[in-house]
Amino acid sequence: MPPPQALALARTKGLDLVEISPTAVPPVCRIMDFGKYQYEQQKRALDRNTRNAYQTLVQGISEVEARRLAVVSAQSAYDASQVGLEVGTRTVLDVIQNQRILFSAQLDYAQARYTFLQNRLLLSQSLGALDVAELQDVNRLLTQDAGNPATTTH
């Protein structure tokens, strides 16, 4: 159908003439409600982003717990190496190595908590549920002692 005729048909139906494939010869067009099409695309993108944010948050829970347990384990190894140093079965290098591992585990744990809280805010934003109370709760969790996993709740 010639473009002027297609445009006239779209106007009589109260729709838009949208070019689908401009590089094709002849160009391919479709008669549609372009505003409704854009709305549906945005709605699908929002649904997809919300699902992804939820999945990321669920994975983050496991990540935080694994990192917390790694800190507990590294703390036990560090404490044992200190006792071993006192009784003569460990060297200072063993203690320093375990201390380095402990600090690394604590850093990983803090980063996992931070990422989890960030993802929590992104999910709340996607759901349209981000409010002052949510921000205050996240702020409270950010100011907790991340170095002591026994005091951390999530």
Side-chain angles (χ1 to χ4, degrees):
M1 165 181 313
Q5 186 181 358
L7 187 57
L9 179 62
R11 286 186 180 153
T12 60
K13 294 183 175 188
L15 300 172
D16 302 303
L17 182 64
V18 179
E19 196 171 37
I20 302 298
S21 181
T23 57
V25 178
V28 178
C29 296
R30 175 179 282 164
I31 296 175
M32 66 169 56
D33 184 347
F34 191 64
K36 182 178 178 182
Y37 171 77
Q38 286 180 318
Y39 169 77
E40 290 297 326
Q41 290 298 100
Q42 289 174 351
K43 186 177 172 186
R44 283 189 196 109
L46 180 61
D47 288 346
R48 184 177 51 252
N49 291 341
T50 302
R51 273 193 305 277
N52 289 343
Y54 176 75
Q55 291 299 322
T56 302
L57 192 69
V58 169
Q59 291 169 355
I61 292 169
S62 300
E63 174 79 14
V64 169
E65 182 60 15
R67 298 296 180 178
R68 185 188 69 78
L69 292 175
V71 169
V72 170
S73 174
Q75 183 68 52
S76 296
Y78 174 69
D79 293 344
S81 66
Q82 282 187 318
V83 170
L85 178 66
E86 291 172 8
V87 297
T89 60
R90 297 283 182 187
T91 66
V92 172
L93 291 176
D94 292 332
V95 175
I96 291 172
Q97 176 66 14
N98 283 328
Q99 186 178 38
R100 186 191 63 76
I101 292 169
L102 173 61
F103 290 160
S104 177
Q106 288 172 336
L107 175 63
D108 292 343
Y109 176 58
Q111 287 174 333
R113 286 182 68 228
Y114 179 77
T115 301
F116 171 78
L117 293 173
Q118 217 174 13
N119 289 331
R120 177 178 161 181
L121 290 174
L122 288 173
L123 179 61
S124 293
Q125 180 186 21
S126 293
L127 294 172
L130 188 59
D131 59 3
V132 174
E134 179 81 11
L135 292 173
Q136 288 173 337
D137 190 38
V138 168
N139 188 53
R140 181 186 55 78
L141 292 170
L142 282 170
T143 56
Q144 279 184 347
D145 181 15
N148 185 0
T151 63
T152 306
T153 59
H154 27 79

